[in-house]
Amino acid sequence: MKKYRPDRNGLITLRIAIFLASLILFAVVRYYIPVDIIVFITTIAIVTADIFFIFIYLPLYFRSLSYSSDGIEITRHSGVIIKKHQTVRYSAVQYITIISTPFSQYTGLNFIVFFVYGGQMQLAFLDQKDAAEILSHAEHLDIGEV
């Protein structure tokens, strides 16, 4: 059984994206709200949310996220507070969607979505090499056009 872990570059990319979104939100609040006390309270709320997500939640989420495959099925393990385990047999997959961003080898934003009977399983923040290996398992079982 092979275990796959999320790419650490995905964590760094999400941290940068959250920080930049917070700066933009702060600039918008500062521009449109003339009352300084409201701007101060909003800034404190934004900084608190940033600290929580960047330094607490995202590292815990990335530590808990893993995938394991034995060639017949793939299992996703995730969850920070509530643990979730989702298993899909490769033979039950109807079709696969691959989502990859520009420079995904540096950002870690590679996603695979397996669509199965009545649901889907998302494999997020994969390394390109791991994503190709998982897809080769799925293609080996002849699930259709990938």
Side-chain angles (χ1 to χ4, degrees):
M1 178 169 290
K2 174 97 184 213
K3 280 197 93 144
Y4 302 98
R5 303 289 303 171
D7 190 4
R8 297 297 289 180
N9 292 333
L11 175 62
I12 294 167
T13 303
L14 286 179
R15 285 177 167 172
I16 291 170
I18 289 172
F19 179 72
L20 292 177
S22 298
L23 287 178
I24 292 170
L25 185 60
F26 173 71
V28 167
V29 166
R30 184 79 180 139
Y31 182 76
Y32 285 109
I33 299 178
V35 182
D36 287 337
I37 190 72
I38 295 175
V39 171
F40 178 74
I41 293 170
T42 306
T43 302
I44 295 297
I46 291 170
V47 168
T48 303
D50 280 355
I51 289 171
F52 173 74
F53 280 107
I54 290 174
F55 296 112
I56 298 171
Y57 183 77
L58 285 178
L60 289 175
Y61 178 74
F62 270 76
R63 189 174 306 132
S64 71
L65 185 62
S66 68
Y67 311 105
S68 56
S69 175
D70 61 1
I72 297 171
E73 63 186 18
I74 187 161
T75 303
R76 175 184 181 196
H77 309 279
S78 65
V80 174
I81 297 172
I82 299 172
K83 302 295 181 185
K84 179 180 174 183
H85 306 282
Q86 185 179 13
T87 301
V88 168
R89 295 180 68 84
Y90 286 120
S91 60
V93 175
Q94 292 178 322
Y95 63 95
I96 299 172
T97 299
I98 303 162
I99 303 167
S100 185
T101 60
F103 306 110
S104 62
Q105 68 270 21
Y106 304 117
T107 62
L109 298 179
N110 296 302
F111 305 92
I112 298 175
V113 183
F114 290 121
F115 291 92
V116 296
Y117 307 113
Q120 65 182 11
M121 181 167 73
Q122 300 172 356
L123 308 178
F125 307 111
L126 291 167
D127 184 57
Q128 280 186 336
K129 180 183 69 170
D130 293 341
E133 189 174 331
I134 291 171
L135 286 175
S136 71
H137 289 301
E139 289 174 349
H140 181 280
L141 294 173
D142 193 28
I143 60 170
E145 195 170 317
V146 178

